[in-house]
Amino acid sequence: SSSETKALFERHKPTHVIHLAAMVGGLFKNIRSNLDFWRTNIHINDNVLHSAHESGVQKVVSCLSTCIFPDKTTYPIDETMIHNGPPHSSNFGYSYAKRMIDVQNRGYSEQHGRRFTAVIPTNVFGPHDNFNIEDGHVLPGLIHKVYLAKQSSSALTVWGTGKPRRQFIYSLDLARLFIWVLREYDEVEPIILSVGEEDEVSIREAAEAIAEAMEFRGELVFDTTKSDGQFKKTASNAKLRRYLPEFQFTPFRK
């Protein structure tokens, strides 16, 4: 709602905004609802950015996603490649809506001198995640599935082949980086916030790590009738490392 968004900005008069509002979901929710993802996120982003502009906010940091990058591309992907071709067909609605934040940021910068930028995290996980098996992302979904498999002494069924690879970033690491971007990063162009390419983990390895951490001793089964989604979307954190060469990420297994 544009009127409610505007009222919120008028009431609180923020000087700095971290914009995380979005309609989000896992692979299967995206496949079912591409139009809803497009329309809802376009409205959210326009409401937040325009209200921020109208109320004189000094800095906005919006949140993009690695799934917005072209499906047919070379790896690793970097910040210059966002608009180089269509995203993966499974989540085109969400992807195009998120790409438009970058377009809008450039517009507010060129026309009004606004310091609006965006970050691109890789797969985020951590406390207070969405553990819904249907709609959540892969790690909290697997944690929930391991919990249920232990309760019922059954096998752990993982959707897909287990072969796709992902870079996972711990939510508290991401939070520290968000604060740094808000205070120190002055480019309009987005910046990828991610662990290094060498820290990429396959879905099978992730499932095995979760099973081990939760002391699950049962069988792992891969349901290959379910879609894998994008095989990989390896992102380069070279730009981040140029700014923060010493930043320590929490290791995945820890």
Side-chain angles (χ1 to χ4, degrees):
S1 160
S2 58
S3 60
E4 286 179 28
T5 309
K6 191 174 178 181
L8 188 79
F9 275 82
E10 285 170 355
R11 185 158 75 247
H12 294 290
K13 297 184 172 56
T15 58
H16 294 69
V17 171
I18 294 177
H19 167 28
L20 303 176
M23 177 183 177
V24 297
L27 173 65
F28 297 94
K29 187 177 176 183
N30 271 280
I31 289 171
R32 288 195 306 272
S33 313
N34 266 299
L35 176 65
D36 296 348
F37 274 91
W38 159 258
R39 293 195 67 227
T40 304
N41 285 305
I42 281 288
H43 287 309
I44 289 172
N45 298 334
D46 189 57
N47 291 342
V48 171
L49 292 179
H50 198 62
S51 291
H53 164 62
E54 288 197 315
S55 59
V57 170
Q58 293 171 33
K59 179 89 172 266
V60 179
V61 180
S62 296
C63 195
L64 310 183
S65 159
T66 47
C67 69
I68 73 175
F69 282 96
D71 180 35
K72 305 274 189 290
T73 189
T74 53
Y75 294 98
I77 45 185
D78 66 38
E79 292 83 354
T80 65
M81 298 158 76
I82 294 174
H83 303 285
N84 283 5
H88 194 270
S89 59
S90 63
N91 58 2
F92 70 88
Y94 178 80
S95 299
Y96 276 121
K98 284 291 188 184
R99 283 187 190 185
M100 290 304 105
I101 289 181
D102 180 48
V103 174
Q104 216 162 341
N105 285 344
R106 276 188 288 170
Y108 280 116
S109 171
E110 286 180 19
Q111 216 169 308
H112 300 290
R114 293 283 177 216
R115 291 167 67 221
F116 293 179
T117 190
V119 299
I120 308 171
T122 44
N123 295 51
V124 190
F125 72 101
H128 315 293
D129 214 328
N130 171 12
F131 291 88
N132 184 305
I133 289 173
E134 291 292 325
D135 294 344
H137 283 113
V138 61
L139 290 187
L142 285 171
I143 289 168
H144 192 160
K145 282 184 169 183
V146 171
Y147 173 79
L148 294 176
K150 283 183 73 171
Q151 298 288 93
S152 60
S153 301
S154 55
L156 168 64
T157 302
V158 180
W159 288 347
T161 63
K163 292 175 183 171
R165 305 184 64 76
R166 297 291 181 264
Q167 287 153 296
F168 293 104
I169 182 169
Y170 185 48
S171 59
L172 300 183
D173 293 348
L174 181 59
R176 287 157 58 209
L177 289 169
F178 256 109
I179 300 299
W180 170 77
V181 170
L182 197 67
R183 290 175 173 162
E184 311 289 344
Y185 180 75
D186 267 337
E187 296 183 41
V188 175
E189 283 72 34
I191 184 167
I192 291 170
L193 303 181
S194 173
V195 298
E197 297 157 52
E198 67 282 358
D199 295 314
E200 206 168 42
V201 176
S202 75
I203 300 302
R204 175 186 281 277
E205 288 165 341
E208 288 169 350
I210 289 166
E212 185 185 326
M214 294 177 71
E215 298 180 345
F216 172 72
R217 308 268 184 264
E219 188 190 359
L220 241 72
V221 178
F222 292 87
D223 180 357
T224 54
T225 65
K226 294 281 199 292
S227 170
D228 267 340
Q230 225 166 334
F231 176 68
K232 65 184 241 159
K233 34 191 182 176
T234 316
S236 166
N237 69 355
K239 183 175 181 177
L240 175 66
R241 282 297 182 209
R242 285 199 295 276
Y243 278 105
L244 296 176
E246 304 302 316
F247 187 85
Q248 297 285 316
F249 287 96
T250 305
F252 178 73
R253 295 190 71 82
K254 181 180 173 182

